[in-house]
Amino acid sequence: MTLGDAPVDAGADALIAARLCAVDPMLGGIMLRRGAGGDRVIAALRAALPPDAPIKRLPVHIDDERLYGGLDLGATLAAGRPVGRAGLLAEADGGAVIVPMAERLREGVAAALAHALDTGAVVAERDGPRLVAPAQFVVLALDEGVEEEAVPMALAERLAFWIDAGEPQGPQSDAGGVWSAAPCALPDVSTMAMEALAATAATLGIESVRAPILALRAARAAAALAGREAVAEDDLALAARLVLGPRATTLPAPPQREDAAEAPPPPPTPPAPSSDAQSADEQRGEARPLDDIVLEAALAALPKDVLRRLATGVQRQRAKSVGKGARQRSPRRGRPVGVRAGVPRGGLRLSIIDTLRAAAPWQRLRAAAPGRLRLTREDLRIRRFQARAEALTIFAVDASGSAAVARLAEVKGAVELLLAEAYVKRAQVALIAFRGTAAELLLPPTRSLARAKRALGALPGGGGTPLAAGLAAARELAEAAQRRGRTPYLVILTDGRGNIAVDGSAVRARADADAEAAARAIAAAGIATAFVDTSPRPRPEGAKLAAVMQARYLPLPRADARAMHAAVKEAHHA
């Protein structure tokens, strides 16, 4: 049985991946999700790397000075000349960087790690001197977030191994004892093996060119670890399972089966070959193609839920969770994201340390008196902050017709579920109902669950369907939220068949034209929208209107509150 056929133990795979990274640091490292076994993987890395190899933990909110290195302010002031200091990336040279809560890593920090993985060096070019230091290490990114959170792709795609692991189950041969796997020369690999990995990546829908390259390095590292002079089938199977399998986005198409009745007649029976030729042909017939072995090993790495999603064409979109607004620059508050040159006025905050650091290299040229500093306007540094905009989910609900009571009950449950998340995600919810001849704002933007329950307690239903008025009211509320710095998201719940025009007339053709114009206005405003078709039997009108407003179309004829809540979250992530 090949490695690709063996039962998958994610915990053991993580330990094997750590050992392969020690053999070839160019594999980048490991992204370990739900890593209950993270401590064991860290211990495995320590054991595999040389005894004096540094192991550094990277804080989530690390600043640029600590990350890159730069000017040593105290040494510079004492020496009267620029003196550099190494940052965390340079300190980790020859070892490993552990990244806890990697799903919360800032894009800038992820880019710095990615650059170091690509070049093996770190460049600090701040406050005058330019410092270049070697920085070759492997990364263990511990993704401890929920399904919707993700490690920045700039870093993730450079890590060979993506492992969704808990504690290893049962005894692990690789975990016992102390072993070392120092970097060594990698064996050669055949052209056939390269083609097999590339073909497997293409079959699984992997678009990144890095993936088959990393798989090839993993196969060579596995062969070196086993003491082989050439890459074997087991090495290729292991690489496909650990590197290509977790990156799969599609399943291979099943083989085509021709109907026996339509199959062409068999060709004439050739003359019987000699015994030697027959034996060779039988051996060739029994040998499995290398592509099939590698592909089977990659598919063995997919958990059952992933196989189900790929088989049905439903892929998990890992993104920031619903209810979170877009990040935006803020001059006075939020998370610190660096400094810039500027004058501290209008509420801007001076960064004293960065100002002193900018001035220190020039003191000799400025002929400063002993024990004193001479500052100029160019030395002043202003703190920069990043704040997350408040999110607003706007429900626009069709409250007309005999089914209004059921729809409003579903919306009430979905709104309450979203409000339960709002307390920790700075999200607000608003509700617009349209019936009769107009739309009404029943629940202004709020995070108050009690206020929402009062507003949802007794909603009227019945009458005509002023769809255009409902869409226009939702767009106006969303645009008002945008002007206040919020991030709006619309959820339209209707069957898409309006019968009341903007002027109040019950002319269906005019009502349809007005609704289409209102949908175009939503698309022109660039407002993210989900269109939930609540018709018992969805018809083309809803899908057409959703396409006009560039909304995610969700036919949910019999959705309860939880299904509607889950659908809205999924649409928000797409």
Side-chain angles (χ1 to χ4, degrees):
M1 181 171 62
T2 66
L3 285 171
D5 299 319
V8 175
D9 186 332
D13 282 350
L15 300 179
I16 295 171
R19 200 170 181 181
L20 294 177
C21 286
V23 172
D24 183 9
M26 295 301 291
L27 286 168
I30 307 167
M31 182 173 67
L32 187 65
R33 295 204 69 239
R34 290 191 289 268
D39 290 340
R40 298 191 63 174
V41 180
I42 294 173
L45 272 176
R46 290 184 184 276
L49 293 170
D52 58 346
I55 306 291
K56 297 292 181 180
R57 281 186 174 267
L58 190 148
V60 176
H61 302 308
I62 189 171
D63 58 21
D64 290 348
E65 170 71 16
R66 180 70 186 103
L67 182 68
Y68 293 99
L71 198 70
D72 188 328
L73 182 58
T76 297
L77 294 176
R81 56 179 177 80
V83 178
R85 180 175 59 182
L88 183 142
L89 298 183
E91 292 173 355
D93 181 48
V97 174
I98 313 300
V99 187
M101 295 187 292
E103 75 282 357
R104 300 185 182 181
L105 202 62
R106 299 200 319 268
E107 296 289 346
V109 178
L113 286 168
H115 181 269
L117 291 175
D118 287 343
T119 64
V122 59
V123 179
E125 198 166 8
R126 304 172 65 241
D127 307 322
R130 184 176 189 270
L131 306 176
V132 181
Q136 187 173 48
F137 47 76
V138 296
V139 173
L140 175 58
L142 302 177
D143 183 354
E144 303 164 13
V146 296
E147 294 292 328
E148 295 85 3
E149 296 179 313
V151 176
M153 188 53 64
L155 174 61
E157 70 173 2
R158 288 167 169 81
L159 306 181
F161 307 107
W162 298 359
I163 299 175
D164 196 332
E167 282 289 350
Q169 301 174 357
Q172 303 297 329
S173 58
D174 284 323
V178 177
W179 37 262
S180 178
C184 58
L186 302 181
D188 295 332
V189 64
S190 67
T191 303
M192 184 181 297
M194 298 181 193
E195 292 174 349
L197 290 173
T200 300
T203 302
L204 296 177
I206 301 173
E207 297 180 355
S208 173
V209 180
R210 296 181 189 272
I213 295 175
L214 289 171
L216 181 61
R217 298 197 73 98
R220 298 175 69 192
L225 200 58
R228 286 189 277 268
E229 296 181 355
V231 174
E233 285 185 2
D234 282 359
D235 303 322
L236 293 173
L238 179 66
R241 180 160 62 82
L242 296 183
V243 180
L244 300 182
R247 289 171 161 84
T249 61
T250 60
L251 284 177
Q256 297 288 339
R257 294 185 178 180
E258 297 181 357
D259 189 9
E262 298 179 359
T269 303
S274 64
S275 60
D276 292 341
Q278 185 175 2
S279 176
D281 290 339
E282 289 177 356
Q283 289 179 3
R284 284 194 297 269
E286 292 175 359
R288 298 177 60 198
L290 186 58
D291 290 10
D292 292 348
I293 296 174
V294 175
L295 178 59
E296 184 177 336
L299 293 177
L302 299 179
K304 292 181 179 180
D305 60 334
V306 175
L307 286 170
R308 175 182 54 79
R309 286 197 298 269
L310 295 181
T312 57
V314 179
Q315 299 180 24
R316 181 182 66 197
Q317 298 290 336
R318 296 185 63 206
K320 296 302 180 184
S321 57
V322 67
K324 289 188 177 181
R327 289 188 177 96
Q328 58 186 14
R329 297 293 184 186
S330 175
R332 301 178 183 86
R333 62 184 180 181
R335 178 185 298 174
V337 291
V339 296
R340 64 175 179 85
V343 179
R345 58 189 175 192
L348 300 178
R349 296 166 61 180
L350 178 69
S351 176
I352 298 176
I353 297 298
D354 290 286
T355 297
L356 296 176
R357 188 178 291 115
W362 311 104
Q363 295 308 299
R364 179 174 295 181
L365 295 177
R366 295 175 185 174
R372 305 189 64 178
L373 285 174
R374 297 191 65 176
L375 302 179
T376 67
R377 183 187 181 95
E378 288 72 22
D379 299 329
L380 300 179
R381 296 293 184 267
I382 301 299
R383 288 191 177 277
R384 295 187 299 131
F385 299 92
Q386 186 181 72
R388 189 180 290 277
E390 191 173 45
L392 171 63
T393 301
I394 303 171
F395 286 88
V397 184
D398 182 355
S400 64
S402 59
V405 175
R407 282 197 296 268
L408 293 177
E410 295 162 0
V411 173
K412 175 181 177 181
V415 169
E416 291 184 359
L417 288 173
L418 285 171
L419 280 170
E421 301 175 357
Y423 295 102
V424 294
K425 296 180 180 176
R426 295 183 57 80
Q428 291 192 341
V429 174
L431 175 63
I432 294 174
F434 51 94
R435 59 182 288 273
T437 60
E440 180 182 2
L441 178 61
L442 296 178
L443 181 65
T446 182
R447 287 196 300 269
S448 171
L449 187 58
R451 185 180 180 187
K453 288 182 177 180
R454 287 196 300 268
L456 294 170
L459 293 179
T465 308
L467 182 54
L471 296 180
R475 175 183 55 79
E476 291 170 0
L477 184 59
E479 291 178 337
Q482 286 178 329
R483 290 192 293 270
R484 292 181 174 87
R486 295 173 180 165
T487 302
Y489 181 63
L490 296 184
V491 181
I492 313 295
L493 297 104
T494 179
D495 57 9
R497 296 191 290 272
N499 54 21
I500 302 296
V502 173
D503 60 4
S505 61
V507 180
R508 184 173 292 276
R510 185 178 298 173
D512 290 341
D514 290 346
E516 188 170 334
R520 285 200 186 94
I522 291 176
I527 303 169
T529 307
F531 188 100
V532 182
D533 192 337
T534 57
S535 175
R537 292 185 179 180
R539 295 173 57 182
E541 290 90 340
K544 178 182 177 182
L545 201 62
V548 171
M549 70 176 69
Q550 299 178 11
R552 177 77 180 275
Y553 179 66
L554 301 170
L556 296 175
R558 286 179 290 276
D560 58 12
R562 291 191 177 276
M564 189 177 299
H565 174 248
V568 170
K569 291 184 69 173
E570 179 186 353
H572 194 73
H573 299 154

